[in-house]
PDB file of all heavy atoms in Angstrom:
ATOM      1  N   ASP A   1      -8.883  -1.206  -6.640  1.00 91.00           N
ATOM      2  CA  ASP A   1      -7.911  -0.799  -5.619  1.00 91.00           C
ATOM      3  C   ASP A   1      -7.141  -2.004  -5.084  1.00 91.00           C
ATOM      4  O   ASP A   1      -5.920  -1.936  -4.878  1.00 91.00           O
ATOM      5  CB  ASP A   1      -8.631  -0.100  -4.455  1.00 91.00           C
ATOM      6  CG  ASP A   1      -9.157   1.276  -4.817  1.00 91.00           C
ATOM      7  OD1 ASP A   1      -8.719   1.829  -5.849  1.00 91.00           O
ATOM      8  OD2 ASP A   1     -10.001   1.790  -4.064  1.00 91.00           O
ATOM      9  N   LEU A   2      -7.842  -3.101  -4.856  1.00 92.00           N
ATOM     10  CA  LEU A   2      -7.176  -4.296  -4.331  1.00 92.00           C
ATOM     11  C   LEU A   2      -6.177  -4.861  -5.331  1.00 92.00           C
ATOM     12  O   LEU A   2      -5.098  -5.318  -4.941  1.00 92.00           O
ATOM     13  CB  LEU A   2      -8.219  -5.355  -3.959  1.00 92.00           C
ATOM     14  CG  LEU A   2      -9.141  -5.019  -2.784  1.00 92.00           C
ATOM     15  CD1 LEU A   2     -10.133  -6.144  -2.550  1.00 92.00           C
ATOM     16  CD2 LEU A   2      -8.356  -4.714  -1.513  1.00 92.00           C
ATOM     17  N   GLU A   3      -6.510  -4.803  -6.618  1.00 90.00           N
ATOM     18  CA  GLU A   3      -5.561  -5.251  -7.636  1.00 90.00           C
ATOM     19  C   GLU A   3      -4.313  -4.370  -7.624  1.00 90.00           C
ATOM     20  O   GLU A   3      -3.184  -4.863  -7.745  1.00 90.00           O
ATOM     21  CB  GLU A   3      -6.219  -5.229  -9.022  1.00 90.00           C
ATOM     22  CG  GLU A   3      -7.295  -6.283  -9.225  1.00 90.00           C
ATOM     23  CD  GLU A   3      -6.765  -7.699  -9.112  1.00 90.00           C
ATOM     24  OE1 GLU A   3      -5.571  -7.929  -9.378  1.00 90.00           O
ATOM     25  OE2 GLU A   3      -7.563  -8.587  -8.741  1.00 90.00           O
ATOM     26  N   ALA A   4      -4.512  -3.044  -7.484  1.00 86.00           N
ATOM     27  CA  ALA A   4      -3.372  -2.123  -7.446  1.00 86.00           C
ATOM     28  C   ALA A   4      -2.496  -2.397  -6.231  1.00 86.00           C
ATOM     29  O   ALA A   4      -1.253  -2.427  -6.328  1.00 86.00           O
ATOM     30  CB  ALA A   4      -3.863  -0.673  -7.435  1.00 86.00           C
ATOM     31  N   LEU A   5      -3.115  -2.616  -5.069  1.00 86.00           N
ATOM     32  CA  LEU A   5      -2.347  -2.874  -3.850  1.00 86.00           C
ATOM     33  C   LEU A   5      -1.665  -4.242  -3.903  1.00 86.00           C
ATOM     34  O   LEU A   5      -0.561  -4.400  -3.381  1.00 86.00           O
ATOM     35  CB  LEU A   5      -3.266  -2.777  -2.629  1.00 86.00           C
ATOM     36  CG  LEU A   5      -3.771  -1.362  -2.317  1.00 86.00           C
ATOM     37  CD1 LEU A   5      -4.869  -1.411  -1.262  1.00 86.00           C
ATOM     38  CD2 LEU A   5      -2.632  -0.460  -1.862  1.00 86.00           C
ATOM     39  N   ALA A   6      -2.314  -5.206  -4.537  1.00 84.00           N
ATOM     40  CA  ALA A   6      -1.668  -6.516  -4.713  1.00 84.00           C
ATOM     41  C   ALA A   6      -0.421  -6.375  -5.576  1.00 84.00           C
ATOM     42  O   ALA A   6       0.608  -7.011  -5.323  1.00 84.00           O
ATOM     43  CB  ALA A   6      -2.653  -7.506  -5.330  1.00 84.00           C
ATOM     44  N   GLY A   7      -0.489  -5.515  -6.591  1.00 79.00           N
ATOM     45  CA  GLY A   7       0.664  -5.286  -7.459  1.00 79.00           C
ATOM     46  C   GLY A   7       1.826  -4.629  -6.734  1.00 79.00           C
ATOM     47  O   GLY A   7       2.987  -4.769  -7.140  1.00 79.00           O
ATOM     48  N   GLN A   8       1.524  -3.891  -5.647  1.00 74.00           N
ATOM     49  CA  GLN A   8       2.567  -3.235  -4.849  1.00 74.00           C
ATOM     50  C   GLN A   8       3.063  -4.124  -3.717  1.00 74.00           C
ATOM     51  O   GLN A   8       3.924  -3.712  -2.938  1.00 74.00           O
ATOM     52  CB  GLN A   8       2.027  -1.918  -4.272  1.00 74.00           C
ATOM     53  CG  GLN A   8       1.710  -0.888  -5.330  1.00 74.00           C
ATOM     54  CD  GLN A   8       1.024   0.342  -4.756  1.00 74.00           C
ATOM     55  OE1 GLN A   8       0.945   0.512  -3.540  1.00 74.00           O
ATOM     56  NE2 GLN A   8       0.522   1.200  -5.613  1.00 74.00           N
ATOM     57  N   GLY A   9       2.533  -5.332  -3.610  1.00 73.00           N
ATOM     58  CA  GLY A   9       2.982  -6.246  -2.565  1.00 73.00           C
ATOM     59  C   GLY A   9       2.409  -5.976  -1.202  1.00 73.00           C
ATOM     60  O   GLY A   9       2.907  -6.489  -0.196  1.00 73.00           O
ATOM     61  N   VAL A  10       1.338  -5.175  -1.138  1.00 76.00           N
ATOM     62  CA  VAL A  10       0.737  -4.815   0.147  1.00 76.00           C
ATOM     63  C   VAL A  10      -0.175  -5.920   0.650  1.00 76.00           C
ATOM     64  O   VAL A  10      -0.257  -6.182   1.851  1.00 76.00           O
ATOM     65  CB  VAL A  10      -0.055  -3.494   0.006  1.00 76.00           C
ATOM     66  CG1 VAL A  10      -0.796  -3.160   1.291  1.00 76.00           C
ATOM     67  CG2 VAL A  10       0.885  -2.364  -0.375  1.00 76.00           C
ATOM     68  N   LEU A  11      -0.902  -6.556  -0.278  1.00 82.00           N
ATOM     69  CA  LEU A  11      -1.872  -7.571   0.114  1.00 82.00           C
ATOM     70  C   LEU A  11      -1.979  -8.654  -0.957  1.00 82.00           C
ATOM     71  O   LEU A  11      -1.431  -8.523  -2.052  1.00 82.00           O
ATOM     72  CB  LEU A  11      -3.240  -6.948   0.403  1.00 82.00           C
ATOM     73  CG  LEU A  11      -3.824  -5.967  -0.618  1.00 82.00           C
ATOM     74  CD1 LEU A  11      -4.406  -6.685  -1.824  1.00 82.00           C
ATOM     75  CD2 LEU A  11      -4.884  -5.095   0.029  1.00 82.00           C
ATOM     76  N   GLU A  12      -2.683  -9.714  -0.590  1.00 86.00           N
ATOM     77  CA  GLU A  12      -2.912 -10.828  -1.514  1.00 86.00           C
ATOM     78  C   GLU A  12      -4.413 -10.945  -1.759  1.00 86.00           C
ATOM     79  O   GLU A  12      -5.211 -10.970  -0.813  1.00 86.00           O
ATOM     80  CB  GLU A  12      -2.369 -12.122  -0.905  1.00 86.00           C
ATOM     81  CG  GLU A  12      -2.554 -13.339  -1.784  1.00 86.00           C
ATOM     82  CD  GLU A  12      -2.071 -14.613  -1.109  1.00 86.00           C
ATOM     83  OE1 GLU A  12      -2.178 -14.709   0.131  1.00 86.00           O
ATOM     84  OE2 GLU A  12      -1.582 -15.497  -1.823  1.00 86.00           O
ATOM     85  N   ARG A  13      -4.794 -10.989  -3.021  1.00 91.00           N
ATOM     86  CA  ARG A  13      -6.209 -11.095  -3.385  1.00 91.00           C
ATOM     87  C   ARG A  13      -6.688 -12.535  -3.244  1.00 91.00           C
ATOM     88  O   ARG A  13      -5.952 -13.482  -3.482  1.00 91.00           O
ATOM     89  CB  ARG A  13      -6.406 -10.646  -4.836  1.00 91.00           C
ATOM     90  CG  ARG A  13      -6.224  -9.167  -5.061  1.00 91.00           C
ATOM     91  CD  ARG A  13      -7.449  -8.369  -4.631  1.00 91.00           C
ATOM     92  NE  ARG A  13      -8.514  -8.413  -5.631  1.00 91.00           N
ATOM     93  CZ  ARG A  13      -9.721  -8.931  -5.444  1.00 91.00           C
ATOM     94  NH1 ARG A  13     -10.026  -9.500  -4.301  1.00 91.00           N
ATOM     95  NH2 ARG A  13     -10.633  -8.902  -6.396  1.00 91.00           N
ATOM     96  N   TYR A  14      -7.923 -12.687  -2.832  1.00 90.00           N
ATOM     97  CA  TYR A  14      -8.638 -13.953  -2.963  1.00 90.00           C
ATOM     98  C   TYR A  14     -10.060 -13.615  -3.403  1.00 90.00           C
ATOM     99  O   TYR A  14     -10.462 -12.447  -3.363  1.00 90.00           O
ATOM    100  CB  TYR A  14      -8.619 -14.765  -1.668  1.00 90.00           C
ATOM    101  CG  TYR A  14      -9.268 -14.098  -0.473  1.00 90.00           C
ATOM    102  CD1 TYR A  14     -10.653 -14.142  -0.287  1.00 90.00           C
ATOM    103  CD2 TYR A  14      -8.499 -13.448   0.477  1.00 90.00           C
ATOM    104  CE1 TYR A  14     -11.249 -13.537   0.807  1.00 90.00           C
ATOM    105  CE2 TYR A  14      -9.085 -12.843   1.580  1.00 90.00           C
ATOM    106  CZ  TYR A  14     -10.457 -12.898   1.737  1.00 90.00           C
ATOM    107  OH  TYR A  14     -11.052 -12.299   2.806  1.00 90.00           O
ATOM    108  N   ARG A  15     -10.796 -14.574  -3.842  1.00 90.00           N
ATOM    109  CA  ARG A  15     -12.130 -14.300  -4.374  1.00 90.00           C
ATOM    110  C   ARG A  15     -13.010 -13.646  -3.308  1.00 90.00           C
ATOM    111  O   ARG A  15     -13.257 -14.224  -2.250  1.00 90.00           O
ATOM    112  CB  ARG A  15     -12.782 -15.587  -4.875  1.00 90.00           C
ATOM    113  CG  ARG A  15     -14.119 -15.369  -5.579  1.00 90.00           C
ATOM    114  CD  ARG A  15     -14.637 -16.687  -6.150  1.00 90.00           C
ATOM    115  NE  ARG A  15     -15.929 -16.506  -6.789  1.00 90.00           N
ATOM    116  CZ  ARG A  15     -16.090 -16.078  -8.039  1.00 90.00           C
ATOM    117  NH1 ARG A  15     -15.027 -15.783  -8.782  1.00 90.00           N
ATOM    118  NH2 ARG A  15     -17.299 -15.946  -8.570  1.00 90.00           N
ATOM    119  N   GLY A  16     -13.417 -12.418  -3.576  1.00 92.00           N
ATOM    120  CA  GLY A  16     -14.306 -11.706  -2.654  1.00 92.00           C
ATOM    121  C   GLY A  16     -13.611 -10.856  -1.617  1.00 92.00           C
ATOM    122  O   GLY A  16     -14.270 -10.222  -0.789  1.00 92.00           O
ATOM    123  N   GLY A  17     -12.270 -10.813  -1.629  1.00 92.00           N
ATOM    124  CA  GLY A  17     -11.601  -9.998  -0.620  1.00 92.00           C
ATOM    125  C   GLY A  17     -10.098 -10.030  -0.752  1.00 92.00           C
ATOM    126  O   GLY A  17      -9.549 -10.341  -1.817  1.00 92.00           O
ATOM    127  N   ALA A  18      -9.401  -9.715   0.346  1.00 91.00           N
ATOM    128  CA  ALA A  18      -7.936  -9.683   0.336  1.00 91.00           C
ATOM    129  C   ALA A  18      -7.414  -9.914   1.737  1.00 91.00           C
ATOM    130  O   ALA A  18      -8.079  -9.607   2.731  1.00 91.00           O
ATOM    131  CB  ALA A  18      -7.441  -8.338  -0.195  1.00 91.00           C
ATOM    132  N   ARG A  19      -6.209 -10.456   1.811  1.00 87.00           N
ATOM    133  CA  ARG A  19      -5.520 -10.617   3.091  1.00 87.00           C
ATOM    134  C   ARG A  19      -4.236  -9.799   3.059  1.00 87.00           C
ATOM    135  O   ARG A  19      -3.601  -9.653   2.012  1.00 87.00           O
ATOM    136  CB  ARG A  19      -5.209 -12.089   3.385  1.00 87.00           C
ATOM    137  CG  ARG A  19      -4.302 -12.757   2.396  1.00 87.00           C
ATOM    138  CD  ARG A  19      -4.021 -14.205   2.793  1.00 87.00           C
ATOM    139  NE  ARG A  19      -5.227 -15.001   2.835  1.00 87.00           N
ATOM    140  CZ  ARG A  19      -5.770 -15.604   1.771  1.00 87.00           C
ATOM    141  NH1 ARG A  19      -5.180 -15.481   0.572  1.00 87.00           N
ATOM    142  NH2 ARG A  19      -6.855 -16.313   1.886  1.00 87.00           N
ATOM    143  N   SER A  20      -3.848  -9.275   4.201  1.00 82.00           N
ATOM    144  CA  SER A  20      -2.683  -8.400   4.272  1.00 82.00           C
ATOM    145  C   SER A  20      -1.387  -9.191   4.179  1.00 82.00           C
ATOM    146  O   SER A  20      -1.289 -10.306   4.703  1.00 82.00           O
ATOM    147  CB  SER A  20      -2.693  -7.609   5.583  1.00 82.00           C
ATOM    148  OG  SER A  20      -1.558  -6.757   5.659  1.00 82.00           O
ATOM    149  N   LEU A  21      -0.402  -8.608   3.517  1.00 70.00           N
ATOM    150  CA  LEU A  21       0.957  -9.146   3.508  1.00 70.00           C
ATOM    151  C   LEU A  21       1.892  -8.318   4.382  1.00 70.00           C
ATOM    152  O   LEU A  21       3.086  -8.569   4.442  1.00 70.00           O
ATOM    153  CB  LEU A  21       1.497  -9.201   2.070  1.00 70.00           C
ATOM    154  CG  LEU A  21       0.762 -10.153   1.125  1.00 70.00           C
ATOM    155  CD1 LEU A  21       1.343 -10.055  -0.278  1.00 70.00           C
ATOM    156  CD2 LEU A  21       0.820 -11.585   1.630  1.00 70.00           C
ATOM    157  N   LEU A  22       1.324  -7.287   5.038  1.00 67.00           N
ATOM    158  CA  LEU A  22       2.110  -6.428   5.916  1.00 67.00           C
ATOM    159  C   LEU A  22       1.815  -6.777   7.364  1.00 67.00           C
ATOM    160  O   LEU A  22       0.659  -6.934   7.750  1.00 67.00           O
ATOM    161  CB  LEU A  22       1.771  -4.950   5.689  1.00 67.00           C
ATOM    162  CG  LEU A  22       2.063  -4.363   4.314  1.00 67.00           C
ATOM    163  CD1 LEU A  22       1.547  -2.936   4.252  1.00 67.00           C
ATOM    164  CD2 LEU A  22       3.552  -4.406   4.025  1.00 67.00           C
ATOM    165  N   LEU A  23       2.846  -6.884   8.154  1.00 59.00           N
ATOM    166  CA  LEU A  23       2.675  -7.068   9.588  1.00 59.00           C
ATOM    167  C   LEU A  23       2.463  -5.724  10.252  1.00 59.00           C
ATOM    168  O   LEU A  23       2.864  -4.685   9.742  1.00 59.00           O
ATOM    169  CB  LEU A  23       3.914  -7.744  10.188  1.00 59.00           C
ATOM    170  CG  LEU A  23       4.273  -9.118   9.617  1.00 59.00           C
ATOM    171  CD1 LEU A  23       5.601  -9.577  10.221  1.00 59.00           C
ATOM    172  CD2 LEU A  23       3.169 -10.120   9.872  1.00 59.00           C
ATOM    173  N   ARG A  24       1.809  -5.728  11.397  1.00 57.00           N
ATOM    174  CA  ARG A  24       1.708  -4.480  12.166  1.00 57.00           C
ATOM    175  C   ARG A  24       3.108  -3.975  12.463  1.00 57.00           C
ATOM    176  O   ARG A  24       3.983  -4.724  12.859  1.00 57.00           O
ATOM    177  CB  ARG A  24       0.962  -4.718  13.477  1.00 57.00           C
ATOM    178  CG  ARG A  24      -0.544  -4.935  13.309  1.00 57.00           C
ATOM    179  CD  ARG A  24      -1.220  -5.023  14.661  1.00 57.00           C
ATOM    180  NE  ARG A  24      -2.652  -5.220  14.529  1.00 57.00           N
ATOM    181  CZ  ARG A  24      -3.243  -6.399  14.436  1.00 57.00           C
ATOM    182  NH1 ARG A  24      -2.497  -7.486  14.459  1.00 57.00           N
ATOM    183  NH2 ARG A  24      -4.547  -6.504  14.320  1.00 57.00           N
ATOM    184  N   GLY A  25       3.307  -2.672  12.312  1.00 55.00           N
ATOM    185  CA  GLY A  25       4.621  -2.087  12.561  1.00 55.00           C
ATOM    186  C   GLY A  25       5.522  -2.077  11.359  1.00 55.00           C
ATOM    187  O   GLY A  25       6.622  -1.538  11.421  1.00 55.00           O
ATOM    188  N   GLU A  26       5.091  -2.693  10.235  1.00 57.00           N
ATOM    189  CA  GLU A  26       5.886  -2.631   9.023  1.00 57.00           C
ATOM    190  C   GLU A  26       5.577  -1.353   8.257  1.00 57.00           C
ATOM    191  O   GLU A  26       4.467  -0.826   8.304  1.00 57.00           O
ATOM    192  CB  GLU A  26       5.581  -3.827   8.112  1.00 57.00           C
ATOM    193  CG  GLU A  26       6.334  -5.075   8.459  1.00 57.00           C
ATOM    194  CD  GLU A  26       6.186  -6.126   7.370  1.00 57.00           C
ATOM    195  OE1 GLU A  26       5.166  -6.153   6.683  1.00 57.00           O
ATOM    196  OE2 GLU A  26       7.127  -6.920   7.232  1.00 57.00           O
ATOM    197  N   GLU A  27       6.563  -0.891   7.517  1.00 62.00           N
ATOM    198  CA  GLU A  27       6.408   0.308   6.714  1.00 62.00           C
ATOM    199  C   GLU A  27       5.678  -0.026   5.415  1.00 62.00           C
ATOM    200  O   GLU A  27       6.005  -1.012   4.754  1.00 62.00           O
ATOM    201  CB  GLU A  27       7.787   0.883   6.390  1.00 62.00           C
ATOM    202  CG  GLU A  27       7.762   2.220   5.712  1.00 62.00           C
ATOM    203  CD  GLU A  27       9.163   2.794   5.573  1.00 62.00           C
ATOM    204  OE1 GLU A  27      10.122   2.014   5.458  1.00 62.00           O
ATOM    205  OE2 GLU A  27       9.280   4.011   5.603  1.00 62.00           O
ATOM    206  N   PRO A  28       4.676   0.790   4.997  1.00 64.00           N
ATOM    207  CA  PRO A  28       4.027   0.566   3.705  1.00 64.00           C
ATOM    208  C   PRO A  28       5.039   0.707   2.567  1.00 64.00           C
ATOM    209  O   PRO A  28       6.056   1.393   2.702  1.00 64.00           O
ATOM    210  CB  PRO A  28       2.973   1.673   3.639  1.00 64.00           C
ATOM    211  CG  PRO A  28       2.734   2.063   5.058  1.00 64.00           C
ATOM    212  CD  PRO A  28       4.058   1.886   5.748  1.00 64.00           C
ATOM    213  N   PRO A  29       4.794   0.073   1.416  1.00 65.00           N
ATOM    214  CA  PRO A  29       5.742   0.115   0.312  1.00 65.00           C
ATOM    215  C   PRO A  29       6.004   1.529  -0.204  1.00 65.00           C
ATOM    216  O   PRO A  29       5.150   2.417  -0.116  1.00 65.00           O
ATOM    217  CB  PRO A  29       5.053  -0.725  -0.769  1.00 65.00           C
ATOM    218  CG  PRO A  29       4.115  -1.610  -0.028  1.00 65.00           C
ATOM    219  CD  PRO A  29       3.646  -0.808   1.150  1.00 65.00           C
ATOM    220  N   PHE A  30       7.197   1.711  -0.765  1.00 61.00           N
ATOM    221  CA  PHE A  30       7.625   3.009  -1.288  1.00 61.00           C
ATOM    222  C   PHE A  30       6.622   3.546  -2.309  1.00 61.00           C
ATOM    223  O   PHE A  30       6.278   4.727  -2.284  1.00 61.00           O
ATOM    224  CB  PHE A  30       9.004   2.861  -1.935  1.00 61.00           C
ATOM    225  CG  PHE A  30       9.606   4.143  -2.426  1.00 61.00           C
ATOM    226  CD1 PHE A  30      10.437   4.887  -1.607  1.00 61.00           C
ATOM    227  CD2 PHE A  30       9.348   4.613  -3.708  1.00 61.00           C
ATOM    228  CE1 PHE A  30      10.996   6.070  -2.054  1.00 61.00           C
ATOM    229  CE2 PHE A  30       9.892   5.788  -4.164  1.00 61.00           C
ATOM    230  CZ  PHE A  30      10.726   6.526  -3.333  1.00 61.00           C
ATOM    231  N   ALA A  31       6.150   2.680  -3.210  1.00 60.00           N
ATOM    232  CA  ALA A  31       5.253   3.135  -4.277  1.00 60.00           C
ATOM    233  C   ALA A  31       3.968   3.723  -3.716  1.00 60.00           C
ATOM    234  O   ALA A  31       3.430   4.691  -4.275  1.00 60.00           O
ATOM    235  CB  ALA A  31       4.936   1.978  -5.221  1.00 60.00           C
ATOM    236  N   LEU A  32       3.469   3.178  -2.623  1.00 62.00           N
ATOM    237  CA  LEU A  32       2.262   3.712  -1.999  1.00 62.00           C
ATOM    238  C   LEU A  32       2.563   5.024  -1.282  1.00 62.00           C
ATOM    239  O   LEU A  32       1.827   6.009  -1.413  1.00 62.00           O
ATOM    240  CB  LEU A  32       1.689   2.676  -1.022  1.00 62.00           C
ATOM    241  CG  LEU A  32       0.381   3.042  -0.313  1.00 62.00           C
ATOM    242  CD1 LEU A  32      -0.730   3.279  -1.328  1.00 62.00           C
ATOM    243  CD2 LEU A  32      -0.017   1.942   0.668  1.00 62.00           C
ATOM    244  N   ARG A  33       3.659   5.066  -0.522  1.00 64.00           N
ATOM    245  CA  ARG A  33       4.001   6.287   0.210  1.00 64.00           C
ATOM    246  C   ARG A  33       4.336   7.446  -0.722  1.00 64.00           C
ATOM    247  O   ARG A  33       4.096   8.606  -0.394  1.00 64.00           O
ATOM    248  CB  ARG A  33       5.188   6.020   1.142  1.00 64.00           C
ATOM    249  CG  ARG A  33       4.827   5.138   2.322  1.00 64.00           C
ATOM    250  CD  ARG A  33       5.989   4.955   3.282  1.00 64.00           C
ATOM    251  NE  ARG A  33       7.005   4.076   2.747  1.00 64.00           N
ATOM    252  CZ  ARG A  33       8.238   4.440   2.438  1.00 64.00           C
ATOM    253  NH1 ARG A  33       8.619   5.698   2.584  1.00 64.00           N
ATOM    254  NH2 ARG A  33       9.095   3.560   1.978  1.00 64.00           N
ATOM    255  N   ALA A  34       4.902   7.129  -1.896  1.00 59.00           N
ATOM    256  CA  ALA A  34       5.284   8.187  -2.835  1.00 59.00           C
ATOM    257  C   ALA A  34       4.082   8.957  -3.356  1.00 59.00           C
ATOM    258  O   ALA A  34       4.224  10.098  -3.820  1.00 59.00           O
ATOM    259  CB  ALA A  34       6.061   7.590  -4.002  1.00 59.00           C
ATOM    260  N   GLN A  35       2.888   8.371  -3.267  1.00 63.00           N
ATOM    261  CA  GLN A  35       1.679   9.032  -3.752  1.00 63.00           C
ATOM    262  C   GLN A  35       1.012   9.884  -2.688  1.00 63.00           C
ATOM    263  O   GLN A  35       0.072  10.621  -2.978  1.00 63.00           O
ATOM    264  CB  GLN A  35       0.682   7.974  -4.251  1.00 63.00           C
ATOM    265  CG  GLN A  35       1.207   7.111  -5.383  1.00 63.00           C
ATOM    266  CD  GLN A  35       0.283   5.943  -5.685  1.00 63.00           C
ATOM    267  OE1 GLN A  35      -0.801   5.821  -5.116  1.00 63.00           O
ATOM    268  NE2 GLN A  35       0.711   5.077  -6.593  1.00 63.00           N
ATOM    269  N   GLU A  36       1.471   9.789  -1.461  1.00 68.00           N
ATOM    270  CA  GLU A  36       0.790  10.436  -0.343  1.00 68.00           C
ATOM    271  C   GLU A  36       1.416  11.788  -0.004  1.00 68.00           C
ATOM    272  O   GLU A  36       2.641  11.924   0.039  1.00 68.00           O
ATOM    273  CB  GLU A  36       0.855   9.542   0.899  1.00 68.00           C
ATOM    274  CG  GLU A  36       0.178   8.209   0.713  1.00 68.00           C
ATOM    275  CD  GLU A  36       0.364   7.319   1.925  1.00 68.00           C
ATOM    276  OE1 GLU A  36       1.283   7.571   2.717  1.00 68.00           O
ATOM    277  OE2 GLU A  36      -0.425   6.382   2.063  1.00 68.00           O
ATOM    278  N   GLY A  37       0.566  12.768   0.273  1.00 73.00           N
ATOM    279  CA  GLY A  37       1.027  14.050   0.793  1.00 73.00           C
ATOM    280  C   GLY A  37       2.075  14.723  -0.056  1.00 73.00           C
ATOM    281  O   GLY A  37       2.988  15.370   0.475  1.00 73.00           O
ATOM    282  N   VAL A  38       1.946  14.625  -1.369  1.00 83.00           N
ATOM    283  CA  VAL A  38       2.988  15.138  -2.258  1.00 83.00           C
ATOM    284  C   VAL A  38       3.166  16.649  -2.092  1.00 83.00           C
ATOM    285  O   VAL A  38       4.296  17.155  -2.052  1.00 83.00           O
ATOM    286  CB  VAL A  38       2.672  14.778  -3.731  1.00 83.00           C
ATOM    287  CG1 VAL A  38       3.674  15.439  -4.672  1.00 83.00           C
ATOM    288  CG2 VAL A  38       2.693  13.262  -3.912  1.00 83.00           C
ATOM    289  N   ALA A  39       2.068  17.384  -1.986  1.00 89.00           N
ATOM    290  CA  ALA A  39       2.173  18.848  -1.855  1.00 89.00           C
ATOM    291  C   ALA A  39       2.937  19.229  -0.592  1.00 89.00           C
ATOM    292  O   ALA A  39       3.802  20.110  -0.610  1.00 89.00           O
ATOM    293  CB  ALA A  39       0.781  19.480  -1.861  1.00 89.00           C
ATOM    294  N   ALA A  40       2.636  18.552   0.532  1.00 92.00           N
ATOM    295  CA  ALA A  40       3.335  18.844   1.786  1.00 92.00           C
ATOM    296  C   ALA A  40       4.811  18.477   1.683  1.00 92.00           C
ATOM    297  O   ALA A  40       5.680  19.223   2.160  1.00 92.00           O
ATOM    298  CB  ALA A  40       2.685  18.083   2.939  1.00 92.00           C
ATOM    299  N   LYS A  41       5.112  17.348   1.054  1.00 94.00           N
ATOM    300  CA  LYS A  41       6.510  16.945   0.894  1.00 94.00           C
ATOM    301  C   LYS A  41       7.288  17.948   0.054  1.00 94.00           C
ATOM    302  O   LYS A  41       8.456  18.243   0.338  1.00 94.00           O
ATOM    303  CB  LYS A  41       6.585  15.549   0.271  1.00 94.00           C
ATOM    304  CG  LYS A  41       6.101  14.441   1.198  1.00 94.00           C
ATOM    305  CD  LYS A  41       6.035  13.105   0.483  1.00 94.00           C
ATOM    306  CE  LYS A  41       5.465  12.027   1.391  1.00 94.00           C
ATOM    307  NZ  LYS A  41       5.300  10.741   0.715  1.00 94.00           N
ATOM    308  N   ARG A  42       6.646  18.491  -0.963  1.00 94.00           N
ATOM    309  CA  ARG A  42       7.328  19.483  -1.806  1.00 94.00           C
ATOM    310  C   ARG A  42       7.549  20.789  -1.052  1.00 94.00           C
ATOM    311  O   ARG A  42       8.579  21.442  -1.242  1.00 94.00           O
ATOM    312  CB  ARG A  42       6.528  19.702  -3.087  1.00 94.00           C
ATOM    313  CG  ARG A  42       6.634  18.514  -4.037  1.00 94.00           C
ATOM    314  CD  ARG A  42       5.781  18.662  -5.267  1.00 94.00           C
ATOM    315  NE  ARG A  42       5.954  17.502  -6.138  1.00 94.00           N
ATOM    316  CZ  ARG A  42       5.165  17.212  -7.164  1.00 94.00           C
ATOM    317  NH1 ARG A  42       4.139  18.008  -7.468  1.00 94.00           N
ATOM    318  NH2 ARG A  42       5.400  16.140  -7.892  1.00 94.00           N
ATOM    319  N   ARG A  43       6.613  21.185  -0.200  1.00 96.00           N
ATOM    320  CA  ARG A  43       6.821  22.385   0.621  1.00 96.00           C
ATOM    321  C   ARG A  43       7.989  22.158   1.591  1.00 96.00           C
ATOM    322  O   ARG A  43       8.825  23.046   1.787  1.00 96.00           O
ATOM    323  CB  ARG A  43       5.554  22.738   1.399  1.00 96.00           C
ATOM    324  CG  ARG A  43       4.403  23.246   0.556  1.00 96.00           C
ATOM    325  CD  ARG A  43       3.354  23.945   1.400  1.00 96.00           C
ATOM    326  NE  ARG A  43       2.842  23.128   2.492  1.00 96.00           N
ATOM    327  CZ  ARG A  43       1.827  22.279   2.379  1.00 96.00           C
ATOM    328  NH1 ARG A  43       1.227  22.127   1.199  1.00 96.00           N
ATOM    329  NH2 ARG A  43       1.411  21.592   3.430  1.00 96.00           N
ATOM    330  N   ILE A  44       8.017  20.983   2.193  1.00 97.00           N
ATOM    331  CA  ILE A  44       9.118  20.652   3.100  1.00 97.00           C
ATOM    332  C   ILE A  44      10.442  20.686   2.354  1.00 97.00           C
ATOM    333  O   ILE A  44      11.434  21.258   2.831  1.00 97.00           O
ATOM    334  CB  ILE A  44       8.877  19.276   3.747  1.00 97.00           C
ATOM    335  CG1 ILE A  44       7.707  19.338   4.738  1.00 97.00           C
ATOM    336  CG2 ILE A  44      10.138  18.771   4.454  1.00 97.00           C
ATOM    337  CD1 ILE A  44       7.239  17.978   5.236  1.00 97.00           C
TER     338      ILE A  44
END
């Protein structure tokens, strides 16, 4: 999961963990949001 999120620019991997590249109040990347709540978005 951390490798996938690093590929989307959400976080940076380091050995044993990850640090965030998003500030509080920033919008998550499009690629991550596009996977969320798809059924509800299609109903809307």
Side-chain angles (χ1 to χ4, degrees):
D1 289 344
L2 293 179
E3 290 298 333
L5 291 169
Q8 295 173 10
V10 175
L11 48 77
E12 180 183 32
R13 290 281 280 117
Y14 61 82
R15 186 175 178 84
R19 62 178 61 85
S20 180
L21 295 177
L22 297 175
L23 301 174
R24 287 186 180 88
E26 277 191 331
E27 187 173 30
F30 184 92
L32 182 60
R33 289 184 287 115
Q35 300 171 5
E36 299 175 341
V38 174
K41 291 173 184 176
R42 287 176 179 167
R43 290 197 305 273
I44 290 170

